[in-house]
Amino acid sequence: MKTLAKEHQFLALTRSGPEWTASSSTGYWKKLGTNTFLSSTYFDLAGMAIEDKTIFFEAAGIQTVLAPLANNSGTGDSCLIMDLMTTRPLTDSQIIATVSFGNFAGNATSDGQGPLSFEETVYARTQMFVRHVDTSAWGYITMTDENFFGSMEPTASDRVYSYRLVIPSQGTAGTDMDQLTIYPARHLLRSTAKEEPDFQYIMRLMKSYQLQQSPDVD
């Protein structure tokens, strides 16, 4: 059994009007829209795949340092963070759609790739942080909602894709928050590589290969 880890680094955001920008960061963060930022990487399982072994996941989790730190925030200001691990590479539009649809039916996008399925989702967590009346004097915003989904299904793929999506409040007249700090996070997978009967392994490998035909940009 082995514990695999991938990290998503620090991100500092600044708002001017409706537009959020990355004022400072470590690692690679990509801006997807006015208030949407993505960090992406992958677990490299090629060594296990070469040995014709299937990866079985025993546990998954996410480690973080602190809640987001907000500046000049007012009641109702918020930030959504989604951590996602999948066996299929996702386009930007699919990742954003996953915030609303998860891995349930309806997550299809115009690029024709279809929905993210239950089986393809190893593990996911969404958190909503909000400034409310009782914590108006705090620097850190409070987590008010946390949800999990995923299948932990075994895979013959040589990669598991790791994403971290950050969406602060849209800059509107009702948004006071003008700076936001997102602290690093670590994605963890506890896994075991095992041999399966040839037919079962070949079918699983074929499915993994079909998923890998989706666009994959390192």
Side-chain angles (χ1 to χ4, degrees), residues 80-84 95 98-99 125-126 149 163-165:
L80 183 145
I81 299 177
M82 182 179 71
D83 293 279
L84 177 64
I95 293 169
T98 303
V99 173
R125 180 187 74 179
T126 58
F149 56 95
Y163 302 103
R164 184 165 171 85
L165 190 71

Side-chain angles (χ1 to χ4, degrees), residues 39-50:
S39 172
S40 60
T41 183
Y42 62 86
F43 296 86
D44 188 351
L45 308 178
M48 300 179 188
I50 289 174

Side-chain angles (χ1 to χ4, degrees), residues 101-126:
F101 297 107
N103 57 1
F104 299 88
N107 189 14
T109 55
S110 58
D111 54 25
Q113 285 197 54
L116 174 65
S117 72
F118 172 72
E119 290 79 12
E120 294 163 356
T121 314
V122 178
Y123 183 80
R125 180 187 74 179
T126 58

Side-chain angles (χ1 to χ4, degrees), residues 2 10 18-19 30 46 53 60 78 95 97 101 107 113 132 135 144 159 187 192 210 217:
K2 185 176 181 180
F10 166 91
E19 193 80 16
K30 178 181 180 181
K53 291 183 177 180
S78 65
I95 293 169
F101 297 107
N107 189 14
Q113 285 197 54
H132 53 79
T135 61
T144 58
R159 289 184 178 184
H187 290 186
T192 302
Q210 291 170 342
V217 180

Side-chain angles (χ1 to χ4, degrees), residues 120-142:
E120 294 163 356
T121 314
V122 178
Y123 183 80
R125 180 187 74 179
T126 58
Q127 295 176 307
M128 177 61 75
F129 297 87
V130 179
R131 169 72 71 230
H132 53 79
V133 175
D134 294 335
T135 61
S136 59
W138 297 5
Y140 300 96
I141 50 180
T142 308

Side-chain angles (χ1 to χ4, degrees), residues 16-36:
S16 178
E19 193 80 16
W20 285 92
T21 57
S23 57
S24 178
S25 65
T26 55
Y28 175 71
W29 285 89
K30 178 181 180 181
K31 185 175 181 179
L32 302 185
T34 302
N35 65 329
T36 305

